[in-house]
Amino acid sequence: MAKLRVGVLFGSRSVEHDVSIVTARQVMAALDRAKYDVVPIYITEEGRWLVGEALATAPLADFKRRAPTLPGVVEATLLPDPQRRALAAAGGKGFLGLGRAALPPLDVAFPCVHGTNGEDGTLQGLFELANLPYVGAGVTGAALGMDKIVMKAVFRDAGIPVVESRWFTRSEWLREKEGVLDRLEAALPYPMYVKPANLGSSVGISRADDRNGLEYAIEVALRYDRRILVEQGLTDIVEVNCAVLGNDTPEPSVCEQPARWQDLLSFEDKYLAGGKAKGMSGARRQIPAPIGDALTREVQRLAVAAFKAIDCAGIARVDTMVRLADGRVWVNEINTMPGSLAFYLWEPLGISFTALCDRLIALAFERHRERQERLTHYDNALLSHAGGQKVSGRI
């Protein structure tokens, strides 16, 4: 049986660029080389696409600087041509300077990109145009999962409990700063948590305990996005996370409780606690989360509900906040491409990282086969009826 060519994409124009490199390294190490030919595809911080085997093993310390000059690495791009599914090397004489001799076509894409320009539906849109099977959420699920403001609206509509919040735009802030602060203080008690609408890994998120702190936190968040979400801070809670795996019939993983909960988990708490090469898997945590069977089932139920609400696919990690005193659970967010793929939440269920990658690739093909059943053309007489007449008026 021929091996499948799996394009593992990572990096991209995202503040979570470095986290993506670590996740991709973990995935490439876990993929079964007896089944797959792995094609590393590194998207630089400037948006250049680089392809070459050396990208899978080069030292991480100076990876970003050395990547373009590694042996055998070429610049390429994915063509949005559904007949080719090909990576075309740059520098040729073909269309837009792309070489006509394309690299061998990919069988499936395995995006390991976190944050903007990768986890937000943009990369998934390119895969759709190329008619290429791909791991993870589709365009809609990825976009909804990235935008915290729209995500919360969808969750509310689905009856999923979320923390009280307000949001506003940069233009509102610039136009009437004091008015925005007044409205936030009238609606929400301190402490508040200020977040960019589209970002992950705790980047740009701050706690505000008074008006001065709130103003400062908003200025920080506005560096990362034009829309800002402000949430009510809850007290006496613990964070409990649960991964979800599947397409239309998803299943929950065991639950975890991050070992540290003070204000919020910082970028360093999440990715550097266990060493720079371990990513999210190195963070300190308790598995299973020590919250009892009933609360565990409730977190798992809400995680699956959140996954379905945004039409997610493949894998996700749903982060919740649990108040042990009264058993209340709020869904905080869904990560449609979680760091390290949250593989550590599946191992207690007997699913190794390698087996998890196999499942995700199988799910990618399952969703792709389903997409092929959609009609993309509709026979009609519109053009023949119009004939050579000049088209005007309403259609």
Side-chain angles (χ1 to χ4, degrees), residues 311-384:
D311 192 28
C312 199
I315 195 166
R317 193 194 71 237
V318 177
D319 299 347
T320 72
M321 292 180 286
V322 176
R323 189 158 61 201
L324 299 175
D326 57 9
R328 291 192 64 182
V329 181
W330 296 265
V331 171
N332 189 31
E333 64 179 11
I334 182 169
N335 302 275
T336 58
M337 186 52 66
S340 304
L341 304 188
F343 74 88
Y344 44 85
L345 295 178
W346 298 102
E347 288 181 332
L349 298 176
I351 302 174
S352 68
F353 201 167
T354 295
L356 178 63
C357 291
D358 287 343
R359 290 274 294 273
L360 289 172
I361 289 173
L363 290 166
F365 281 106
E366 176 185 287
R367 182 51 58 93
H368 183 260
R369 284 193 297 272
E370 188 177 35
R371 290 191 184 102
Q372 303 315 297
E373 295 178 5
R374 296 183 303 200
L375 291 177
T376 56
H377 67 278
Y378 176 62
D379 293 330
N380 62 85
L382 178 62
L383 297 181
S384 59

Side-chain angles (χ1 to χ4, degrees), residues 29-238:
L31 284 168
D32 185 347
R33 299 304 175 106
K35 299 177 180 177
Y36 311 114
D37 282 330
V38 176
V39 182
I41 304 170
Y42 172 52
I43 306 173
T44 71
E45 290 176 311
E46 295 76 33
R48 296 169 60 197
W49 287 40
L50 304 176
V51 181
E53 292 184 9
L55 296 167
T57 55
L60 289 176
D62 57 352
F63 178 83
K64 291 187 288 186
R65 182 182 63 81
R66 292 190 58 204
T69 61
L70 289 171
V73 170
V74 298
E75 189 166 352
T77 190
L78 177 65
L79 300 175
D81 181 346
Q83 306 304 316
R84 300 175 67 175
R85 297 180 181 174
L87 288 163
K93 297 180 180 178
F95 179 63
L96 294 178
L98 299 174
R100 290 188 182 279
L103 300 171
L106 300 174
D107 294 305
V108 60
F110 202 133
C112 297
V113 178
H114 304 305
T116 53
N117 299 303
E119 193 182 355
D120 56 357
T122 52
L123 200 53
Q124 290 75 11
L126 178 57
F127 298 147
E128 291 284 348
L129 290 173
N131 197 25
L132 178 66
Y134 58 94
V135 168
V139 174
T140 300
L144 290 175
M146 178 56 60
D147 191 310
K148 294 180 174 65
I149 295 170
V150 182
M151 176 205 307
K152 288 171 79 80
V154 173
F155 286 168
R156 284 193 202 94
D157 188 63
I160 297 170
V162 295
V163 175
E164 188 69 22
S165 64
R166 295 292 185 274
W167 66 273
F168 58 91
T169 63
R170 177 185 285 120
S171 61
E172 289 179 80
W173 178 252
L174 295 176
R175 190 171 58 246
E176 48 164 353
K177 182 183 299 185
E178 293 302 320
V180 170
L181 292 172
D182 289 343
R183 288 194 290 275
L184 290 173
E185 289 186 323
L188 304 172
Y190 287 107
M192 303 181 204
Y193 286 90
V194 182
K195 305 177 178 181
N198 291 274
L199 216 59
S201 298
S202 301
V203 176
I205 299 177
S206 305
R207 168 177 166 149
D209 292 292
D210 53 33
R211 192 175 179 97
N212 289 335
L214 180 59
E215 181 177 354
Y216 176 77
I218 290 170
E219 295 287 356
V220 170
L222 281 170
R223 296 174 62 186
Y224 298 99
D225 205 344
R226 54 172 285 275
R227 293 158 68 240
I228 302 301
L229 177 70
V230 181
E231 293 179 331
Q232 174 188 350
L234 300 177
T235 57
D236 299 323
I237 56 170
V238 295

